[in-house]
Amino acid sequence: IRYQATYDQLTGLPNRSLFMDRLSVALHQAQRNSYRVGLMFIDLDGFKLVNDNLGHEAGDFVLREVAARLTREIRAEDTAGRIGGDEFMIVLANLSGMEKIAEKRATEVASRIIASISIPIIYHEVPIRIGASVGIAIFPDHAQTPKELRKLADQAMYAAKKSGKYNYAFATVTGDGKQQLEQRKT
C-alpha cells in the first residue's frame, strides 16, 4: 500500500508526492553542505500523437521506456520522478558549490536526456520518435524553496518548448532579483 501511494504504477518512478519530499531533503542537505541542487522539469514533445495514432498501450510502453532512459542518464544520488501524464522531473542532488560548475553539470545532463529520448523507441517493430523539452532551475541561485524551484523549472520548460522544442532553458535571476528565463538550444 505504501509503495502504491508513493510510486507511479506505470513507470515505477517516484510520484509527485515522494518526488517533492526527495527534493526537500536534497535542498536541506545542500543548504547544510553549501551545495547546489538542480531541478529539471521535462515534458515529452510529440507524445500526444503516440496515444492518438498508436493507442494508449503504445503510449504506456513509451512512458516506461522514457523512465528507463531517464534513470540511466542520472547518478544514483539523483532522483527521477513522473509527475503525471508525459511530465517528469529530476533532482540533481549535491551539485558543486560553485555556480558555473553546477550549471555545466545540469547542462550536460539535460543534453544527454534530450539525446537519449530522441532515439526512436521501437514498439512492435514500429519506430516511435518523440523529443523532450527541459526546464532547469538551480538552488539557491534561482529559488530557495521546492515550490519556487518547481515553478521556475516549469516556466523554463515552457520557454524551451516555445523556442522550438527539443532543447532546454535555464531559469535565471537578474541583478535586481527579478526572475527571467535564459534559453539554450542543444
Side-chain angles (χ1 to χ4, degrees):
I1 292 173
R2 185 176 302 166
Y3 180 86
Q4 289 178 340
T6 55
Y7 286 88
D8 177 62
Q9 292 180 11
L10 180 64
T11 64
L13 295 177
N15 66 16
R16 180 189 312 255
S17 174
L18 178 58
F19 182 86
M20 293 307 287
D21 182 62
R22 289 196 180 167
L23 175 59
S24 294
V25 169
L27 295 186
H28 289 297
Q29 290 174 343
Q31 196 168 30
R32 245 191 333 268
N33 298 310
S34 299
Y35 285 129
R36 284 175 164 71
V37 172
L39 178 63
M40 297 183 159
F41 199 112
I42 302 161
D43 187 74
L44 301 182
D45 300 322
F47 179 74
K48 184 179 182 317
L49 292 173
V50 174
N51 276 338
D52 291 350
N53 295 330
L54 299 173
H56 290 283
E57 186 177 304
D60 289 350
F61 182 85
V62 167
L63 291 173
R64 285 190 296 273
E65 179 60 25
V66 166
R69 291 179 185 191
L70 291 176
T71 302
R72 285 193 300 264
E73 296 301 335
I74 60 175
R75 304 168 299 175
E77 63 264 34
D78 299 332
T79 300
R82 181 172 175 224
I83 305 309
D86 64 343
E87 294 179 334
F88 297 84
M89 292 179 76
I90 293 177
V91 173
L92 299 175
N94 302 324
L95 293 177
S96 171
M98 298 174 60
E99 181 178 3
K100 292 298 177 193
I101 295 174
E103 283 187 9
K104 183 177 186 267
R105 170 80 175 121
T107 296
E108 291 167 354
V109 174
S111 296
R112 283 198 326 264
I113 285 169
I114 292 166
S116 178
I117 291 175
S118 70
I119 297 169
I121 296 168
I122 308 302
Y123 175 73
H124 296 298
E125 299 182 23
V126 175
I128 298 173
R129 288 179 170 75
I130 59 170
S133 294
V134 181
I136 306 166
I138 306 283
F139 167 88
D141 307 310
H142 302 139
Q144 304 294 311
T145 68
K147 185 177 178 180
E148 291 170 342
L149 273 177
R150 184 182 188 279
K151 178 182 173 186
L152 285 175
D154 186 27
Q155 289 173 350
M157 181 274 297
Y158 279 107
K161 276 194 174 298
K162 274 187 175 176
S163 68
K165 300 182 182 182
Y166 308 105
N167 62 62
Y168 62 92
F170 271 88
T172 59
V173 179
T174 62
D176 60 3
K178 291 184 180 173
Q179 297 167 346
Q180 66 179 23
L181 298 174
E182 178 183 340
Q183 297 174 0
R184 301 181 189 174
K185 290 191 181 253
T186 57

